[in-house]
Amino acid sequence: MEEEGRKLLAEGIKKKLTSPGKGDLSTFPNGTKVVFHYRTSLCEGTVLDDSRTMGGRSKPMELILGKKFKLAVWERLVITMREGEVAEFTCDTKHTALYPLVSQSLRNISVGKDPLEGQRHCCGIAQIHSHHSLGHKDLDHLQANPQPLVFTIELLEVLPPGSFQLDVWAMTDEEKLSFVPQIHEEGNKLFKEGHISEARDKYYNGIACLKNLQIKEQPGDENWLKLDQMITTLLLNYCQCLLLEGQYYEVIEHCSSLLFKYENNVKALYKRAKAHAAVWNETEARADFAKLLELDPSLGPSVAKELKTMEERIRSKQKEEKGRYKDLFNYNTPPATATTG
């Protein structure tokens, strides 16, 4: 233990044991999966990230050792720990320079966004020396002012190679590409069974997987276009789940993005029209439904049904508002009574 502590100090890492773990220290061969909670703080105590609260939920971090994770120091820290151990590590700036980018990706994931959203098609070091905002003031400040950080880690689980299924992010490009049809099929099966949120997660993972591959291609090239078509199919399925979950504004955003590239995509137009109707955007909904009929007249009965439903909702809302205003202005105020002293 003391020898390991001296090694860490020589590397610019100070370890403080908070709670000892159990069992023997693993040998941590490459391919080992480690599951842990983390809290990242500045040395003066300000908390930047906490996996127990990030995105409004508690979700531990998972790493596959030997996969060259962007923040290499995390691998160095966990291999000094036993299962169940809690320790605090103060790491020199040389180990933390890439943390702002890692944090941005983790924050994106925690709220259901693309982990690569906002990151340029260049290496992490190039991004650090650019003036590109990460979308978070604390991360922008940290990127402009690199400094030591404190990582408080609780090692929850150590899984030896071969004892678990690889997560998408840990796969090679070839493994990802062959895995997408499987995850697509699993999502479809869950959707048909009525497990909408689970299906949504499957589609999201497939989209993230494909986008990770697409960012390595030149926009507009043959491979980029093939991947984009695959993304479009999954994104439409994802939007169908969001529609059923009432996430209408997100549906509008995603479908508008698709229609910017593929303006005659009937499925994207139909989903956006329904989402507009659901949030009382009558003008936009009517415009989308009208274009739908131009593109595919066979959808006439379906469009008529959707328009009828929208119009009934609008009439009901207007009637409700009329009654509310009537109650507001048509009340009897008791006359003032004059009194004498």
Side-chain angles (χ1 to χ4, degrees), residues 234-263:
L234 283 169
L235 186 54
L236 287 168
N237 290 356
Y238 180 71
C239 285
Q240 184 60 38
C241 295
L242 293 177
L243 267 178
L244 294 174
E245 293 178 321
Q247 302 296 322
Y248 303 120
Y249 288 105
E250 192 171 347
V251 173
I252 292 170
E253 179 183 352
H254 288 307
C255 289
S256 295
S257 175
L258 285 176
L259 290 163
F260 181 77
K261 294 184 291 184
Y262 310 108
E263 61 179 345

Side-chain angles (χ1 to χ4, degrees), residues 274-295:
K274 291 186 69 171
H276 274 310
V279 295
W280 312 103
N281 294 340
E282 182 183 1
T283 302
E284 292 84 351
R286 288 189 182 280
D288 280 351
F289 282 130
K291 186 170 182 180
L292 267 175
L293 291 178
E294 290 178 16
L295 294 172

Side-chain angles (χ1 to χ4, degrees), residues 267-322:
K267 290 183 178 179
L269 198 60
Y270 194 30
K271 295 181 199 305
R272 189 176 73 174
K274 291 186 69 171
H276 274 310
V279 295
W280 312 103
N281 294 340
E282 182 183 1
T283 302
E284 292 84 351
R286 288 189 182 280
D288 280 351
F289 282 130
K291 186 170 182 180
L292 267 175
L293 291 178
E294 290 178 16
L295 294 172
D296 189 351
S298 69
L299 289 173
S302 297
V303 169
K305 183 180 178 182
E306 294 291 344
L307 285 171
K308 182 180 178 182
T309 300
M310 181 181 72
E311 288 163 358
E312 288 174 350
R313 289 180 66 241
I314 290 171
R315 281 195 297 270
S316 177
K317 183 184 181 186
Q318 289 172 340
K319 185 178 179 181
E320 180 185 329
E321 289 177 346
K322 186 176 180 181

Side-chain angles (χ1 to χ4, degrees), residues 96-109:
T96 64
L98 289 176
Y99 186 77
L101 294 176
V102 172
S103 176
Q104 181 198 35
S105 293
L106 294 175
R107 292 182 188 187
N108 282 346
I109 291 170

Side-chain angles (χ1 to χ4, degrees), residues 30-33 64 159-166:
N30 281 346
T32 297
K33 181 177 183 176
I64 309 295
L159 300 169
S163 67
F164 56 91
Q165 182 177 337
L166 277 178

